Amino acid sequence: MKWVTENIEFATGEKYQLLDITYDIEEKINSLSIESGVCIINVPHATAGLIANENETGVKEDILNRILALAPENVTYQHDRIDNNARAHVISSIIGTDSVFIIEEGRLVRGIWQNIFFVELDGPRSVRKVVIKIFGE
Ligand code: ZN
């Protein structure tokens, strides 16, 4: 049984953005030669999130627009008195920062139209991180 922790680091270029990290994660799994196991993906940030869905321009725009509507702009947020990013904190709390996938036959089990996205809610940032815990054999 292998227990491995891997990090993926990258920069983001927009204030709000969906970044496809599917292939970065699959590359880590391939390099470990795990046939059957579990992959926990975690975003260790309070102003970002994680979702799984289709990588299609229209769907991505729809998702981002609906996500941003979860915490409207024209509302008073107490946290904005400190660092003006309350919306990012609220949305991150609602959509969540982690996901679990099964690994079978050496591959991440996911739908054909299901990619994994880091959701930037307070960019651009020079360093963002995703932590992956993989265990299996
Ligand atoms: Zn803040």
Side-chain angles (χ1 to χ4, degrees), residues 47 79 83-86 89:
T47 56
H79 181 68
D83 65 0
N84 204 34
N85 63 358
H89 287 277

Side-chain angles (χ1 to χ4, degrees), residues 26-124:
E26 290 186 337
E27 198 179 293
K28 300 280 186 193
I29 292 166
N30 290 342
S31 70
L32 294 168
S33 303
I34 290 179
E35 280 301 303
S36 180
V38 173
C39 176
I40 299 168
I41 306 162
N42 183 257
V43 168
H45 298 289
T47 56
L50 192 79
I51 61 165
N53 217 289
E54 184 175 354
N55 190 350
E56 186 275 323
T57 310
V59 175
K60 287 196 296 182
E61 200 176 321
D62 291 337
I63 291 170
L64 200 51
N65 286 338
R66 291 300 94 207
I67 283 174
L68 293 173
L70 292 169
E73 240 172 334
N74 54 348
V75 172
T76 302
Y77 296 98
Q78 302 307 313
H79 181 68
D80 282 348
R81 291 180 299 193
I82 299 170
D83 65 0
N84 204 34
N85 63 358
R87 288 183 77 204
H89 287 277
V90 172
I91 296 167
S92 170
S93 302
I94 295 171
I95 68 172
T97 56
D98 54 67
S99 200
V100 178
F101 282 84
I102 292 164
I103 299 166
E104 276 310 333
E105 295 174 0
R107 300 168 57 95
L108 204 63
V109 178
R110 60 181 179 90
I112 294 171
W113 307 115
Q114 189 182 38
N115 283 28
I116 302 159
F117 292 93
F118 176 91
V119 184
E120 178 58 83
L121 297 165
D122 192 29

